[in-house]
Amino acid sequence: MDLNFYRRLSIAPMLDYTDRHCRYLLRLLTKNTLLYTEMIPANALVHADPEPFLKHSLEEYPLAIQLGGGDPETLALASKKAENAGYQEINLNCGCPSDRVQNGSFGACLMKDSEKVARCIEAMQKAVQVPVTVKCRIGIDHDDSFEFFLNFIKTVHEAGCNTFIIHARKAWLKGLSPKENRDIPPLNYERVLELKKLMPNLNISINGGIKTLEHAKELLTQLDGVMIGRAAYENPWMLKEADSLIYNTQDPIWKNRKELLTAYLPYVEQELSQGCPLTIITRHLSSLFNGIPGSRKYRQMLSEQAPKAKDGVELLQKAMAFVEEIG
Ligand SMILES: Cc1cc2nc3c(=O)[nH]c(=O)nc-3n(C[C@H](O)[C@H](O)[C@H](O)COP(=O)(O)O)c2cc1C
């Protein structure tokens, strides 16, 4: 499988968002886009029961797992478990600025120690056959020169990593919440484009603030991949023409969002029968009809009735009936 083909468009790892139920829905909209898990702590895979963290459906492929960690040995063991479970890429998080992650000395603070990241990558690559990739920022705190960024990438590349996904904004570890640090400081796409010019053999995906497939397509004229986060979560329907626009293949045939949701219902039924709480699934569905008459009533019904619903599929059908979708 040529993952670089699928990597032209990817959906960002997002904690609490890109779980397997969300990914299954996104996959109904695009067969090719590379999907990422939420960040999974390597420690949890090695020291706890890994099954709940690794569980996924074959339908979600192409699928990458993102690991959080900073210890080469633990990351290597976690990577092996992920590969054995079927994940097709192992990504190391070098971009998350949260306190919890900083306390564990991983995420964005790894950018301050490129040698350590290099050791992690080496150990992970030795453990698995699938590609090992890095998601990082363009800098961190006051280390925000192009030279710093380039040195980080070069050191990690020398350890064997050829694929980088770059959130084009620096990480700020003190004084901003992770949420604020997704919008401040401003994006700097130039840094990423400059890197690609200097190191054309690397596979570079850009991330941050990309809201439309048209914008993604434009960036693909200069880069190898585009990663979209919030825009795709908040409005999954935006992906409906991803296969034709980005990959030149045929789009799925959903006439409208109701048809999409109807196609998702057998999955919901199956998950509910295996004991999954309905709300774990419906939280990903509440924004699906935003902007369409009736969507407020749809959302309201889901939020009020999903926690106590006896028949989850019936509730979704009833809620969907409020939506007056044309076409
Ligand atoms: C709710 C949420 C959770 C996130 N969790 C992760 C994560 O687990 N790992 C990671 O590398 N980035 C995480 N991010 C950052 C995104 O992957 C992405 O880099 C960021 O949102 C910028 O892209 P966007 O402007 O397209 O949303 C998260 C973002 C959001 C909104």
Side-chain angles (χ1 to χ4, degrees), residues 11-18 37-40 66 91-97 135-137 166-169 178-179 182-183 187 207-211 227-234:
I11 304 301
M14 288 182 280
L15 212 55
D16 293 332
Y17 285 16
T18 50
T37 65
E38 312 165 82
M39 182 186 72
I40 297 174
Q66 186 188 60
N91 177 264
L92 179 64
N93 182 326
C94 297
C96 177
K135 179 167 180 273
C136 63
R137 301 272 190 141
I166 299 160
H167 182 179
R169 137 182 315 122
K179 185 166 189 290
R182 282 180 211 127
D183 293 310
L187 291 159
N207 165 243
I210 299 145
K211 295 193 168 69
M227 175 180 268
I228 300 184
R230 288 163 290 185
Y233 185 80
E234 286 154 18

Side-chain angles (χ1 to χ4, degrees), residues 146-194:
F146 184 68
E147 202 185 354
F148 170 85
F149 175 48
L150 189 61
N151 180 54
F152 174 83
I153 300 286
K154 277 189 172 161
T155 309
V156 179
H157 170 53
E158 277 159 20
C161 180
N162 295 317
T163 303
F164 293 85
I165 300 118
I166 299 160
H167 182 179
R169 137 182 315 122
K170 75 170 173 171
W172 193 251
L173 295 188
K174 293 274 175 277
L176 285 180
S177 70
K179 185 166 189 290
E180 288 167 328
N181 199 195
R182 282 180 211 127
D183 293 310
I184 332 172
L187 291 159
N188 188 343
Y189 289 172
E190 278 310 311
R191 287 272 160 102
V192 183
L193 297 173
E194 189 66 27

Side-chain angles (χ1 to χ4, degrees), residues 125-142:
Q125 280 194 326
K126 257 195 204 141
V128 298
Q129 306 286 316
V130 295
V132 175
T133 66
V134 161
K135 179 167 180 273
C136 63
R137 301 272 190 141
I138 52 171
I140 176 166
D141 294 338
H142 296 295

Side-chain angles (χ1 to χ4, degrees), residues 74-88:
T74 313
L75 280 165
L77 287 170
S79 301
K80 188 70 203 158
K81 288 192 182 198
E83 182 183 56
N84 286 345
Y87 287 93
Q88 292 149 317

